Amino acid sequence: MLKEQETAATLDGKLVAKITRDNLAQRIKEHVDHGRRPPGLAVILVGDDPASEIYVRNKVSACRQVGVESFFNKFGAAAKEAQILECIDKLNADPNVDGILVQLPLPGGLEADRILARLLPEKDADGLHPYNLGLLMSGKPGLRPCTPLGIMTVLDYYAISVSGKRAVVIGRSNLVGKPIAALLMQADATVTVCHSKTADLPAYVKTAEILVVAMGKREFVEGSWIKPGACVIDVGIHYVSDTTNPEAKPRIVGDVRYEEAKHVAGFITPVPGGVGPMTVAMLLSNTFQSYEKRLSLR
Ligand code: GUN
């Protein structure tokens, strides 16, 4: 356990993501050298949310780096559900596509649940199809949501055992909060899920040996709330513009007050360079997992 005032060890997601990508690139090269086709990932982006455009661009560029072929499908904000379902049906049937990702959030009027449910579960690179979420809840192997899987991979890389630990998750989204709670539980942590209606959030945070913050509120968690020595995983990502200099690049911060938290926590993920790169690496890893499984079917 670290003393207060010492600086927490950084959980370097950028590094672990690079190791994951390098490993995937090597394994993909071996398949291609044996004359097999490369893995394929189809990305569906609907509308023009600027953050989603950046995420999708990063995902497509990560595919290129490791030798995954990407198929980009863009729809305007006024796209109808039927058009997107038709696109998914084509991708489901395409033998060169191993993974399909529908970037979220979708524009208002489109129901993510109905669209995600149309994916073939074995091509669900994001692990968000109800079938894969069911496998997750029952602790069976399957495709896992990328951000939670990235968090577990970083904990594993740094040999941070969660078994028997008190874990607190802030946030109950289908994308992060619920699946990370399930994965931590599966890894034998004792998990509490907090959310926007939780009374006395700081009291829960104080009990956490493992703290996962996925609430989407900029620099909300204060250093004084954190248990000394805790492992803090910050899933938040917020772009902060410098109002005095509109030309300056926006600063990126998380849901946790990093400068305060780093003096209390034992381990902490930075923002940027923590969870974000891991999400992309796990998307590639899931696509590769689907690819190998589909190859062996033929
Ligand atoms: N939007 C924010 N994060 C994610 C993610 O991991 N997957 C998808 N599909 N959309 C997102």
Side-chain angles (χ1 to χ4, degrees):
M1 187 83 75
L2 295 182
K3 292 194 299 289
E4 266 187 72
Q5 299 311 315
E6 255 178 76
T7 301
T10 300
L11 301 177
D12 188 346
K14 205 169 156 187
L15 169 74
V16 184
K18 182 178 183 320
I19 292 168
T20 307
R21 283 197 311 270
D22 288 351
N23 180 270
L24 286 172
Q26 178 59 34
R27 292 167 72 190
I28 291 168
K29 185 176 178 303
E30 283 164 21
H31 281 298
V32 172
D33 287 349
H34 279 87
R36 299 179 191 117
R37 67 170 176 85
L41 173 68
V43 178
I44 300 177
L45 174 64
V46 189
D48 34 39
D49 174 50
S52 290
E53 292 200 353
I54 296 174
Y55 295 147
V56 163
R57 208 179 311 135
N58 287 343
K59 288 170 184 178
V60 168
S61 132
C63 283
R64 196 173 317 114
Q65 279 175 36
V66 300
V68 168
E69 191 174 357
S70 60
F71 305 90
F72 182 48
N73 299 266
K74 171 101 164 84
F75 291 89
K80 295 274 179 291
E81 181 180 296
Q83 289 171 270
I84 297 162
L85 295 181
E86 191 192 337
C87 174
I88 291 176
D89 289 345
K90 276 198 193 122
L91 297 169
N92 280 343
D94 187 334
N96 293 322
V97 171
D98 303 289
I100 307 171
L101 153 93
V102 181
Q103 184 66 27
L104 302 174
L106 291 168
L110 290 174
E111 277 233 26
D113 286 349
R114 278 224 295 271
I115 289 173
L116 292 172
R118 190 73 158 229
L119 300 171
L120 268 185
E122 59 268 34
K123 291 193 178 190
D124 173 29
D126 245 340
L128 296 174
H129 186 284
Y131 180 76
N132 285 317
L133 291 175
L135 291 176
L136 166 64
M137 286 314 291
S138 52
K140 303 272 182 353
L143 292 164
R144 304 299 195 217
C146 299
T147 300
L149 184 60
I151 293 170
M152 297 308 286
T153 305
V154 166
L155 291 174
D156 189 52
Y157 179 84
Y158 286 97
I160 295 172
S161 163
V162 301
S163 176
K165 299 260 175 70
R166 276 187 299 261
V168 171
V169 175
I170 314 181
R172 54 178 157 176
S173 67
N174 291 339
L175 209 53
V176 184
K178 285 178 202 160
I180 189 62
L183 287 175
L184 287 167
M185 198 167 25
Q186 190 69 33
D188 298 326
T190 302
V191 184
T192 302
V193 180
C194 299
H195 46 76
S196 53
K197 297 287 190 293
T198 297
D200 200 359
L201 181 61
Y204 284 99
V205 172
K206 204 58 163 185
T207 66
E209 295 165 287
I210 311 276
L211 176 67
V212 179
V213 189
M215 60 196 311
K217 288 191 181 164
R218 175 180 145 192
E219 295 180 309
F220 191 82
V221 172
E222 299 177 17
S224 64
W225 300 3
I226 293 168
K227 186 180 177 69
C231 172
V232 177
I233 309 290
D234 188 349
V235 183
I237 172 153
H238 308 272
Y239 294 86
V240 185
S241 305
D242 179 349
T243 46
T244 62
N245 179 10
E247 301 294 304
K249 253 180 130 180
R251 218 161 44 90
I252 303 176
V253 298
D255 287 353
V256 176
R257 296 188 192 181
Y258 183 83
E259 288 304 318
E260 296 174 14
K262 74 176 186 191
H263 297 298
V264 187
F267 303 87
I268 189 163
T269 57
V271 179
V275 172
M278 289 306 297
T279 298
V280 181
M282 293 302 108
L283 174 68
L284 301 173
S285 171
N286 277 351
T287 303
F288 184 72
Q289 187 183 317
S290 304
Y291 165 75
E292 283 205 320
K293 203 161 175 194
R294 284 163 41 76
L295 276 188
S296 66
L297 284 178
R298 273 178 231 149

